[in-house]
Amino acid sequence: MRLWIDSDMGFDDLWAILTIGSLGIRIDGLSLVAGNAALPQVVRNACTAARAFDWDFPIFEGAESALLGGKVTAERILGATGIRSREKALDDKSTGCAQPGAFEAIREWIESRSGSILLALGPLTNIAAVVGASPELAKRIERVVWMGGSVRQGNHTPSAEFNAFVDPEAAATLLSAQVDMTIVDLEICRNVRFGESDVRHVSGMGGRNAALLADLARGYLDIGLERGRDSMAIYDPVAAVALARPGLFGFVESSVEIVLSGSKRGQTIVNAVLPGEKANAKIAVDADHEAIRRVCVDTLLREGKR
Ligand code: BDR
Ligand code: CA
């Protein structure tokens, strides 16, 4: 399998990228998009991660705003870096790893092979910009697996999941482009959780990144703890597992709409496919939550040992 990843580089994005690596899948390239933080910060997060984890794939800077120009970030919850921590920070101001030109890089990569698979971990701006400009590319894409949307409540607004809210027009572009799309929504991710006992094991692994990973994981866990829970949902890594280990999930062919205006902007509405109608996405459902959780946590343990 050859894979491209598109990300807004929060902690769960980093965790998802490590998960793909730990499952033995080669990453051909990583494109960055504004989301969890503004693009320059997203780039710094990626470059610091690339150095810490010895990433050897090329990294490209993509969109700094949504297709219609909006700039929504999650800094209110995640802080200025888009990655919370308790002590250490994944932000040493390094930017040198990333080249400009994500749109061209994604387009060339799709054109250069059949069966391209993309894992989208943030707002869909980059991929939608490429497919919107060259609709014929849709049939060269084998699959886009996206962590985004919610079949129930949102997290950024009562009705919208964050990645969908930041650029609903991008999601709508892909949903209407006849791209084979798998959606790993908020609801399934909410059932795959980790807690302090998992992090304690990571911190005890003794490798060069064990302390860093444990600290970032605790910063991310704090989002759940501050809401009175004893655990936190694992988002983007669940999409990585859906891509690499689809047998751990069920998928339902659906007709998905995204709300583009009003107070429910960014809401994903999932309908059954009517006779004669064509599905525009598969929604991940019925997951083996414990097995998925194990894959995600084992990734942190493995990286903590290295
Ligand atoms: C999504 O929003 C981001 O903050 C996370 O990285 C994840 O991709 C969850 O709603
Ligand atoms: Ca993300």
Side-chain angles (χ1 to χ4, degrees), residues 195-220:
E196 172 58 29
S197 61
D198 299 310
V199 185
R200 211 171 302 124
H201 287 127
V202 175
S203 107
M205 293 313 281
R208 70 181 159 109
N209 285 319
L212 172 67
L213 276 176
D215 193 57
L216 299 179
R218 285 194 171 106
Y220 180 76

Side-chain angles (χ1 to χ4, degrees), residues 14-302:
L14 164 63
W15 188 353
I17 295 167
L18 296 175
T19 301
I20 287 292
S22 80
L23 294 173
I25 297 174
R26 176 176 153 173
I27 299 167
D28 282 350
L30 171 67
S31 47
L32 303 174
V33 64
N36 283 321
L39 188 67
Q41 182 61 50
V42 167
V43 172
R44 285 200 287 276
N45 293 350
C47 290
T48 322
R51 224 187 30 234
F53 296 97
D54 304 322
W55 291 348
D56 59 1
F57 41 80
I59 302 176
F60 297 90
E61 292 180 30
E64 57 183 6
S65 57
L67 289 185
L68 296 187
K71 289 188 180 187
V72 176
T73 70
E75 289 171 12
R76 185 170 50 89
I77 293 168
L78 301 177
T81 65
I83 296 187
R84 293 175 59 152
S85 62
R86 291 208 186 152
E87 289 163 12
K88 299 172 190 296
L90 191 70
D91 179 32
D92 66 359
K93 311 281 178 265
S94 58
T95 54
C97 74
Q99 317 163 43
F103 299 170
E104 295 74 20
I106 296 171
R107 184 174 45 72
E108 281 169 20
W109 180 78
I110 294 171
E111 278 172 352
S112 70
R113 73 207 61 249
S114 56
S116 318
I117 298 180
L118 295 102
L119 175 61
L121 305 172
L124 288 166
T125 319
N126 288 341
I127 303 170
V130 172
V131 173
S134 309
E136 72 284 358
L137 290 182
K139 58 179 176 301
R140 298 191 69 87
I141 298 176
E142 184 177 313
R143 204 169 353 132
V144 174
V145 178
W146 179 45
M147 192 281 121
S150 179
V151 300
R152 288 192 228 285
Q153 290 108 313
N155 57 355
H156 197 71
T157 72
S159 32
E161 181 279 331
F162 178 72
N163 291 334
F165 184 81
V166 174
D167 200 346
E169 282 74 19
T173 299
L174 283 187
L175 285 168
S176 62
Q178 301 193 330
V179 170
D180 188 313
M181 189 129 163
T182 299
I183 295 180
V184 178
D185 88 308
L186 210 53
E187 205 50 39
I188 198 162
C189 298
R190 281 180 171 135
N191 288 310
V192 184
R193 312 186 69 87
F194 78 107
E196 172 58 29
S197 61
D198 299 310
V199 185
R200 211 171 302 124
H201 287 127
V202 175
S203 107
M205 293 313 281
R208 70 181 159 109
N209 285 319
L212 172 67
L213 276 176
D215 193 57
L216 299 179
R218 285 194 171 106
Y220 180 76
L221 174 60
D222 283 342
I223 300 169
L225 301 185
E226 283 163 9
R227 286 160 179 71
R229 302 175 192 127
D230 63 356
S231 61
M232 175 63 192
I234 302 174
Y235 296 130
D236 292 341
V238 177
V241 180
L243 187 147
R245 297 284 182 271
L248 297 176
F249 297 76
F251 297 93
V252 176
E253 299 267 353
S254 306
S255 168
V256 180
E257 288 168 52
I258 182 141
V259 177
L260 298 177
S261 60
S263 62
K264 296 195 169 167
R265 179 169 162 81
Q267 181 182 23
T268 38
I269 300 174
V270 179
N271 303 307
V273 182
L274 299 173
E277 205 183 42
K278 205 164 171 279
N280 64 357
K282 296 181 192 71
I283 308 284
V285 292
D286 298 334
D288 183 340
H289 302 131
E290 182 49 31
I292 299 163
R293 198 190 96 75
R294 209 52 268 160
V295 174
C296 298
V297 171
D298 283 352
T299 294
L300 293 185
L301 294 172
R302 183 173 179 269

